[in-house]
Amino acid sequence: MKACFIGLGYIGLPTAIIAAKHGVDILGVDINPQIVEMTNAGQLHFIEPGMEDMLKEVVKNGKLRAATKPEVCDAYFVVVPTPFKGNHEPDVSYVEAATRSALPLLKEGDLFVIESTSPVGTTEAMAAIIYAERPELKGKLHIAYCPERVLPGNVIYELVHNDRVIGGIDEASTDKAMEFYAHFVTGKLHRTNSRTAEMCKLTENSSRDVQIAFANELSMICDKAGINVWHLIELANKHPRVNILQPGCGVGGHCIAVDPYFITAAFPEQAKIIAAARSINNYKADWCVEKVKNAILKFELDHGRKPVVAMMGLAFKPNIDDLRESPAVKIAEEVVADCHGAAVLVVEPNVAEHKEFKLTDYSEAYKQADIVAMLTAHNQFKTLPYDESKDILDFCGIYKK
Ligand code: SAJ
């Protein structure tokens, strides 16, 4: 069997590599020639533990090859980004472009799967585009939606072990897609229809966003009430049916901070909690900015000089180098732009250079700072002893107890 993966990003490339490792002949397709070149040279274009060795192996044994255009295969997988437009409306133009690139190559019996996070109804809409252009294939293709679920940083394990939800536009399509994923998934494969599978992905990430919003709301209430939120959550979680997540400086990344909008854009009247969670998590970053600015003003009043401020961490979550949609970056930008003349040191130990900020070593910044804003709970920061002479704004629970 020969399969074509369209989109060699954080999800498409690892899935293609794992499928190749399990015996499927893979053509990986990306419009970016640099990614194609790197992939064919066995070089991973992003950081993911263990993945590059596996890529080298499947390139070397001829199981995986990359190109800028699709070729005739037996199965096609669309794994391209679905960003949102200015008004938070989902942008499915990449999914449509990928679908159109495969369209002329499709033949009877082929499997066509969308993995990209997509608004409800996208798979049916792509099927309609395909059948409008290739009416002779109507009812002869297998078209399905199967969302990815892996956590960046743990991709090799999760791609194989996580359960998958598979929804075809008809029963035969679901069967055919289930057959494909059985090549490499040892988790359970759950069958449904394409609309439910699309909504399931959006539901998973919205659920996490809502739960994080609850923790963030609690953190702002506790700040007013003079209660340590970390300790409070630990105690509440001793209840057998309570499991509160951790507050932070907001929600970042390209999944949880994005996917809920695909529901709120389509169902604005019904999606009340989901919309509220988005605004609470967005507001949490603004709240952190205000906290830092107020600390700067207070320091100046108390000490009669401008403080040194350390902004600790830019990544959107701990121990990674990914800065996309990161609330920490937004907070650092806003503090630097309006810091009342304070010296602001920006720290991100997992990144060598940043286009906007001059980065400072984390222990050096901590040593020099009068005010420390903990933005990302990197392991390195947990090694810094709590210094009571500094004003430490611990937004991410470095010093929980
Ligand atoms: N966060 C908190 N408090 C928490 C947990 C997370 O503030 O208790 C923040 C993080 O700091 C980060 C954001 O949430 O800013 C998102 O991080 P994450 O680790 O929750 O998730 P992602 O975005 O790396 O990956 C998610 C995962 N979805 C779920 O856990 C439901 C992953 O399984 C999905 O495959 C991925 O989105 C995706 O691609 O959709």
Side-chain angles (χ1 to χ4, degrees):
M1 157 165 228
K2 195 170 172 194
C4 176
F5 275 76
I6 307 174
L8 297 179
Y10 288 71
I11 303 297
L13 184 53
T15 313
I17 293 170
I18 299 272
K21 198 158 158 61
H22 285 78
V24 185
D25 284 311
I26 300 286
L27 174 73
V29 173
D30 204 288
I31 51 169
N32 182 338
Q34 219 178 328
I35 290 180
V36 168
E37 205 178 298
M38 282 182 79
T39 305
N40 282 329
Q43 291 166 356
L44 204 65
H45 65 91
F46 50 87
I47 295 176
E48 181 59 43
M51 204 45 114
E52 192 165 79
D53 288 345
M54 226 184 248
L55 170 63
K56 285 192 170 30
E57 185 190 322
V58 292
V59 168
K60 200 166 164 218
N61 68 18
K63 279 291 181 193
L64 186 146
R65 178 170 65 82
T68 50
K69 288 205 165 61
E71 296 167 14
V72 173
C73 288
D74 308 302
Y76 301 83
F77 295 82
V78 173
V79 202
V80 295
T82 37
F84 55 72
K85 302 176 206 158
N87 53 359
H88 291 143
E89 290 279 330
D91 175 4
V92 293
S93 60
Y94 297 107
V95 173
E96 186 174 333
T99 303
R100 288 190 186 279
S101 74
L103 226 160
L105 308 169
L106 293 170
K107 56 185 174 358
E108 186 173 342
D110 280 356
L111 173 64
F112 180 86
V113 177
I114 299 173
E115 282 208 7
S116 305
T117 303
S118 301
V120 173
T122 303
T123 309
E124 289 168 347
M126 293 306 125
I129 289 176
I130 292 171
Y131 289 139
E133 302 273 332
R134 304 285 309 275
E136 77 282 9
L137 289 176
K138 184 132 196 173
K140 296 179 182 156
L141 294 174
H142 301 109
I143 300 178
Y145 183 75
C146 178
E148 61 81 14
R149 292 177 140 174
V150 292
L151 198 69
N154 197 25
V155 169
I156 292 185
Y157 179 86
E158 294 206 359
L159 259 180
V160 173
H161 293 88
N162 286 359
D163 285 12
R164 296 293 288 255
V165 171
I166 299 176
I169 55 164
D170 51 35
E171 295 295 328
S173 296
T174 310
D175 288 341
K176 187 87 174 176
M178 302 265 290
E179 228 173 77
F180 177 82
Y181 285 97
H183 278 107
F184 62 93
V185 177
T186 60
K188 284 202 186 104
L189 303 177
H190 302 273
R191 50 185 311 139
T192 183
N193 55 48
S194 61
R195 296 175 75 84
T196 309
E198 287 158 349
M199 186 63 181
C200 190
K201 170 70 186 186
L202 304 180
T203 301
E204 290 161 14
N205 281 350
S206 300
S207 157
R208 197 156 166 86
D209 199 41
V210 169
Q211 291 178 55
I212 297 168
F214 182 69
N216 278 333
E217 184 165 288
L218 275 180
S219 72
M220 294 183 278
I221 294 169
C222 286
D223 183 69
K224 279 238 168 239
I227 291 169
N228 179 327
V229 69
W230 315 101
H231 185 50
L232 170 81
I233 290 174
E234 194 189 333
L235 294 177
N237 283 350
K238 301 286 181 204
H239 186 290
R241 283 174 298 282
V242 174
N243 188 12
I244 304 167
L245 292 180
Q246 301 293 298
C249 67
V251 167
H254 29 93
C255 309
I256 296 188
V258 175
D259 298 358
Y261 290 121
F262 290 17
I263 299 180
T264 57
F267 309 99
E269 286 304 310
Q270 292 76 22
K272 299 287 189 243
I273 287 189
I274 298 170
R278 275 289 66 240
S279 50
I280 291 165
N281 287 333
N282 285 339
Y283 173 67
K284 184 65 194 284
D286 301 335
W287 185 88
C288 293
V289 171
E290 283 312 305
K291 282 274 162 198
V292 179
K293 285 195 200 163
N294 287 339
I296 292 172
L297 292 176
K298 182 171 183 306
F299 184 94
E300 209 179 336
L301 278 177
D302 291 350
H303 297 83
R305 67 173 173 90
K306 310 269 184 202
V308 176
V309 184
M311 305 300 287
M312 305 291 280
L314 291 177
F316 85 83
K317 67 179 188 177
N319 309 319
I320 58 167
D321 64 348
D322 192 339
L323 311 187
R324 286 176 297 172
E325 313 287 333
S326 176
V329 171
K330 185 181 164 227
I331 295 167
E333 278 171 352
E334 290 190 20
V335 169
V336 167
D338 185 13
C339 59
H340 305 277
V344 183
L345 307 174
V346 179
V347 171
E348 179 40 72
N350 297 326
V351 170
E353 265 180 48
H354 191 270
K355 57 183 187 320
E356 212 175 316
F357 304 116
K358 178 183 171 296
L359 298 176
T360 304
D361 171 73
Y362 72 94
S363 49
E364 191 51 41
Y366 187 75
K367 202 166 23 163
Q368 286 182 27
D370 304 298
I371 298 169
V372 181
M374 292 292 188
L375 302 176
T376 311
H378 288 315
N379 285 341
Q380 290 94 328
F381 302 163
K382 294 182 181 165
T383 65
L384 298 166
Y386 191 87
D387 181 345
E388 288 196 6
S389 71
K390 300 178 189 299
D391 185 1
I392 299 181
L393 304 169
D394 186 5
F395 298 128
C396 57
I398 297 285
Y399 303 106
K400 275 187 189 169
K401 299 236 167 90

